């Protein structure tokens, strides 16, 4: 199965879904004009990938802004993961955010609430800290 | 056989009959006559055979149809009695298990079968009974999700949960489907609220960042006072307010005397420090509805409302004295800056640029008269 690599744009995040390693990375801001159109192929890819990848799928999310449609799509991705996790697939989500910002933590916790697979909130290293 | 041929045959027969009726008829027939008769006989024989064959075909068909009809009649007889249809609503009655006979008959005699759904009347009856009854029971055990108080705040959820928890609904064929549907609805409702909460948080974050940027766009970064752009905004707003409601508006504009020499003698850092120090002093003496701004370079602007002609002179003079009497130290060196000030009172209806021109002229007057003083009020 092919990997997916999208460059980051002003309104859409960078995507690096590596079918070889099972490492799925998404980073940047997400407010595309049509979120459903943007996330549709990604959802399709994930749903296929989950059924054939034998190892642990690690989803690393470094998103600093999601519009409403992107939020819904992110939940759809987590629904897919949850379904596969219930069937025995190993899934791990690393959610990177500004851990000094209470609101960012609360947002991450909202996403975490609906899932039972391992979901870790980790500090997002800002560009000025590198 | 063609019409002509038949006609010919009849002619031969008629002629022979005529001959036989004649008493003078000879006892023997000619060879020709016998040949004709033989031919007619053969033709008739063939036709008879064909007719018999066709007739047999029809009879076979008839016999088959008769047999099928008899079978059908026998089947019909298994559906005993009449189908009881109400003369008023035209519905088939369901008493005495009659529908079972109908179903059995339909199953045995056709490819169709009865579909066991709920008719609209029964459905509404179930809903009616369950919704008017107070006999709601515990949430059904088969409900796979835990219903929270937040869920019950949704009127649709509380309404339908009440219905499917009702004992009147227990035997409804719809119950299982409705339970699943309600579970899905509750999960979707929670999802919708969660998305809204997340979205609100992101929007609040964006709003805060926007406000921060807007605030920063109004501030002079060196002094922390308003910048020239923001001062213009305040002036327009104040003038509009005075024009609408009346009142007094005054401007004080001041400029450091010989500021260039501070920069030249002590460096730009000392010049910046002098401006920051001045801003601190200014903030301490500002009234809450006064606005002070760094107008540009070493120029400052102060806008006050409700200050009279004498009041604006007093304010300007106090400011002059404050700066004069507050020297600052930079790397051990004493810096004693002074300022010259211009004043102007707003004339109702006056364009802003004229007001600014007058306050600028006043400041120019102060400089011209020897600096470190308040300029004349150009009325």
């Amino acid at each position: 199965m092919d990997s997916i690599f999208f460059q980051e744009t002003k309104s859409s995040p960078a995507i690096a879904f590596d079918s070889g390693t099972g490492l799925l990375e998404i980073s940047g801001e997400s407010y595309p004009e049509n979120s459903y159109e943007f996330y549709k192929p990604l959802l399709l890819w994930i749903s296929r990938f989950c059924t054939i990848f034998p190892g642990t799928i690690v989803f690393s999310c470094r998103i600093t802004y999601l519009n409403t449609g992107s939020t819904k799509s992110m939940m759809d991705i987590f629904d897919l993961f949850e379904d596969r996790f219930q069937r025995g697939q190993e899934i791990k989500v690393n959610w990177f955010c500004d851990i000094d910002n209470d609101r960012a933590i609360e947002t991450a916790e909202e996403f975490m609430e609906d899932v039972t697979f391992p979901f870790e909130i980790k500090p997002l290293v800002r560009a000025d800290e590198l | 056989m063609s019409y002509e041929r038949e006609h010919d045959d009849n002619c031969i027969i008629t002629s022979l009959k005529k001959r036989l009726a004649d008493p003078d008829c000879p006892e023997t027939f000619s060879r020709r006559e016998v040949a004709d008769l033989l031919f007619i006989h053969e033709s008739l024989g063939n036709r008879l055979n064909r007719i018999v064959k066709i007739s047999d075909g029809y009879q076979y068909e008839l016999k088959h149809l008769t047999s099928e009809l008899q079978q059908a009649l026998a089947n019909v007889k298994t559906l005993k009695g009449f189908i009881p249809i109400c003369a008023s609503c035209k519905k088939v009655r369901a008493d005495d298990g009659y529908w079972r006979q109908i179903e059995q008959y339909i199953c045995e005699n056709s490819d169709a079968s009865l579909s066991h759904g709920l008719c609209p009347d029964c459905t509404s009856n179930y809903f009616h009974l369950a919704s008017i009854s107070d006999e709601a029971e515990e949430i059904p055990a088969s409900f796979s999700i835990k219903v929270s108080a937040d869920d019950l705040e949704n009127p649709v959820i509380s309404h339908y949960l009440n219905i499917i928890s009702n004992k009147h609904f227990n035997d409804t064929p719809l119950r299982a489907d409705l339970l699943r549907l309600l579970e899905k609805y509750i999960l979707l409702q929670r999802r919708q609220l969660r998305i809204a909460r997340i979205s609100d948080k992101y929007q609040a974050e964006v709003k805060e960042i926007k406000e921060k940027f807007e605030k920063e766009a109004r501030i002079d970064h060196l002094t922390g006072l308003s910048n020239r752009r923001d001062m213009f905004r305040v002036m327009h707003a104040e003038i509009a307010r005075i024009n609408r409601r009346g009142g007094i508006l005054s401007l004080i504009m001041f400029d450091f005397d010989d500021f260039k020499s501070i920069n030249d003698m002590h460096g730009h850092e000392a010049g910046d420090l002098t401006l920051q120090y001045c801003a601190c002093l200014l903030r301490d003496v500002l009234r809450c509805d006064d606005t002070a701004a760094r107008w540009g370079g070493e120029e400052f602007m102060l806008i006050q409302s409700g200050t009279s002609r004498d009041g604006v002179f007093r304010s300007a003079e106090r400011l002059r004295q404050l700066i004069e009497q507050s020297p600052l130290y930079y790397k051990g060196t004493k810096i004693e800056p002074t300022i010259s000030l211009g004043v102007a009172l707003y004339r109702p209806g006056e364009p802003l640029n004229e007001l600014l021109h007058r306050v600028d002229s006043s400041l120019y007057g102060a400089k011209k008269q020897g600096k470190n003083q308040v300029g004349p009020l150009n009325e």
Side-chain angles (χ1 to χ4, degrees):
Chain A
M1 188 168 181
D2 288 342
S3 299
I4 293 188
F5 293 101
F6 289 173
Q7 290 282 342
E8 183 175 357
T9 72
K10 192 172 163 286
S11 60
S12 65
I15 306 289
F17 289 178
D18 190 335
S19 58
T21 60
L23 187 60
L24 280 46
E25 293 185 304
I26 178 165
S27 58
E29 294 191 331
S30 180
Y31 54 99
E33 253 183 71
N34 191 337
S35 309
Y36 298 111
E37 281 301 311
F38 179 79
Y39 281 96
K40 208 162 98 179
L42 301 179
L43 277 159
L44 198 66
W45 189 92
I46 291 173
S47 67
R48 283 184 187 151
F49 180 66
C50 282
T51 57
I52 58 164
F53 191 70
T56 305
I57 294 174
V58 179
F59 182 81
S60 288
C61 180
R62 291 179 174 81
I63 295 271
T64 49
Y65 179 81
L66 286 162
N67 67 2
T68 310
S70 304
T71 303
K72 159 85 170 59
S73 299
M74 191 60 76
M75 287 183 165
D76 290 342
I77 289 175
F78 290 161
D79 279 350
L80 282 175
F81 286 157
E82 182 65 25
D83 181 55
R84 293 307 300 174
F85 182 69
Q86 295 297 336
R87 292 161 194 251
Q89 172 87 48
E90 283 189 50
I91 307 275
K92 188 171 187 249
V93 166
N94 294 320
W95 185 275
F96 294 88
C97 66
D98 179 4
I99 55 167
D100 297 329
N101 182 341
D102 289 346
R103 201 181 278 139
I105 297 279
E106 282 168 20
T107 303
E109 285 168 350
E110 287 279 8
F111 280 107
M112 198 164 66
E113 196 91 359
D114 267 354
V115 303
T116 58
F117 50 75
F119 189 109
E120 216 173 313
I121 300 172
K122 294 182 167 184
L124 180 73
V125 180
R126 292 193 299 267
D128 55 5
E129 291 174 350
L130 290 172
Chain B
M1 185 182 287
S2 68
Y3 171 77
E4 290 79 14
R5 174 70 195 279
E6 201 171 344
H7 180 71
D8 289 350
D9 290 350
N10 286 338
C11 287
I12 293 165
I13 290 166
T14 311
S15 127
L16 283 173
K17 274 182 179 171
K18 209 180 266 178
R19 262 189 71 184
L20 283 172
D22 184 0
D24 298 330
C25 171
E27 286 299 316
T28 56
F29 288 94
S30 70
R31 186 184 175 88
R32 167 73 191 226
E33 283 167 332
V34 172
D36 283 347
L37 276 175
L38 193 61
F39 179 77
I40 292 168
H41 177 76
E42 269 180 3
S43 300
L44 285 173
N46 287 342
R47 184 187 293 183
L48 184 65
N49 282 341
R50 277 202 301 279
I51 290 171
V52 166
K53 215 171 178 178
I54 290 167
S55 178
D56 281 355
Y58 280 125
Q59 278 174 43
Y60 177 80
E61 280 291 313
L62 198 64
K63 188 71 190 161
H64 185 68
L65 283 172
T66 310
S67 156
E68 280 190 348
L69 191 64
Q70 278 172 343
Q71 181 62 42
L73 284 171
N75 288 341
V76 170
K77 277 180 187 166
T78 62
L79 195 66
K80 290 190 179 70
F82 298 101
I83 295 178
I85 292 176
C86 171
S88 170
C89 72
K90 308 296 177 198
K91 283 178 189 161
V92 176
R93 270 168 44 203
D95 50 345
D96 301 330
Y98 198 82
W99 64 271
R100 281 190 198 283
Q101 288 184 52
I102 298 174
E103 182 172 43
Q104 190 184 354
Y105 173 74
I106 290 175
C107 287
E108 284 174 1
N109 296 288
S110 74
D111 291 335
S113 61
L114 294 189
S115 124
H116 289 268
L118 268 188
C119 77
D121 288 349
C122 292
T123 310
S124 65
N125 193 36
Y126 276 124
F127 274 91
H128 178 67
L129 279 173
S131 56
I132 58 166
S133 167
D134 293 329
E135 297 167 49
E137 293 170 357
E138 289 295 305
I139 291 168
S142 56
F143 216 58
S144 65
I145 54 174
K146 200 165 178 283
V147 180
S148 69
D150 287 346
D151 294 326
L152 291 171
E153 277 181 21
N154 181 307
V156 176
I157 294 173
S158 60
H159 177 70
Y160 283 96
L161 201 60
N162 192 39
I163 285 177
I164 58 171
S165 308
N166 197 284
K167 67 173 188 178
H168 288 290
F169 222 70
N170 281 353
D171 304 327
T172 320
L174 277 178
R175 191 167 181 273
D177 283 342
L178 205 70
L179 273 173
R180 299 284 86 81
L181 195 67
L182 192 60
E183 283 175 353
K184 285 242 174 211
Y185 181 87
I186 293 173
L187 291 175
L188 273 176
Q189 172 71 14
R190 287 180 186 172
R191 171 68 54 99
Q192 189 200 352
L193 292 174
R194 177 156 294 144
I195 289 173
R197 280 199 300 273
I198 290 173
S199 190
D200 285 354
K201 285 196 178 78
Y202 279 120
Q203 283 174 50
E205 193 74 28
V206 169
K207 181 101 178 119
E208 265 181 21
I209 291 169
K210 185 171 168 263
E211 278 170 6
K212 196 176 149 200
F213 280 144
E214 277 177 358
K215 195 177 168 197
E216 282 187 4
R218 292 199 305 263
I219 297 286
D220 170 65
H221 291 284
L222 182 67
T223 61
L225 298 175
S226 288
N227 58 19
R228 186 183 178 105
R229 180 168 161 263
D230 191 48
M231 191 49 148
F232 264 111
R233 183 186 63 80
V234 174
M235 283 172 172
H236 281 294
E238 282 296 304
I239 285 174
R241 191 175 65 80
I242 295 288
N243 287 343
R244 209 167 47 244
R245 298 187 183 166
I248 307 168
L249 188 69
S250 60
L251 285 188
I252 299 174
M253 188 183 186
F254 64 89
D255 183 80
F256 279 86
D257 299 323
D258 305 314
F259 189 72
K260 191 171 175 295
S261 64
I262 299 176
N263 276 337
D264 290 347
M265 283 172 67
H266 308 285
H268 284 281
E269 204 174 272
D272 287 348
L273 196 67
T274 305
L275 297 176
Q276 284 170 335
Y277 181 60
C278 165
C280 285
L281 293 173
L282 203 53
R283 262 195 291 271
D284 286 345
V285 297
L286 278 182
R287 298 178 307 184
C288 63
D289 51 352
D290 294 347
T291 304
R294 184 175 173 208
W295 192 243
E298 65 271 19
E299 261 182 356
F300 290 78
M301 183 75 84
L302 183 63
I303 185 165
Q304 294 182 314
S305 57
T307 310
S308 66
R309 187 178 184 283
D310 294 339
V312 69
F313 272 111
R314 271 201 303 277
S315 291
E317 179 55 23
R318 261 206 308 275
L319 212 53
R320 189 198 65 74
Q321 287 176 16
L322 180 67
I323 300 291
E324 188 179 39
Q325 292 160 15
S326 311
L328 69 152
Y329 291 87
Y330 176 71
K331 290 181 180 172
T333 311
K334 192 178 184 184
I335 302 174
E336 294 175 290
T338 60
I339 55 171
S340 299
L341 305 94
V343 288
L345 280 174
Y346 174 67
R347 299 171 185 147
E350 177 186 28
L352 178 59
N353 59 350
E354 274 183 33
L355 176 67
L356 289 173
H357 177 72
R358 288 196 293 113
V359 77
D360 196 47
S361 302
S362 174
L363 173 58
Y364 180 74
K367 291 272 187 197
K368 205 175 169 188
Q369 285 166 29
K371 302 174 186 173
N372 192 20
Q373 58 186 280
V374 180
L377 186 68
N378 303 314
E379 285 177 293

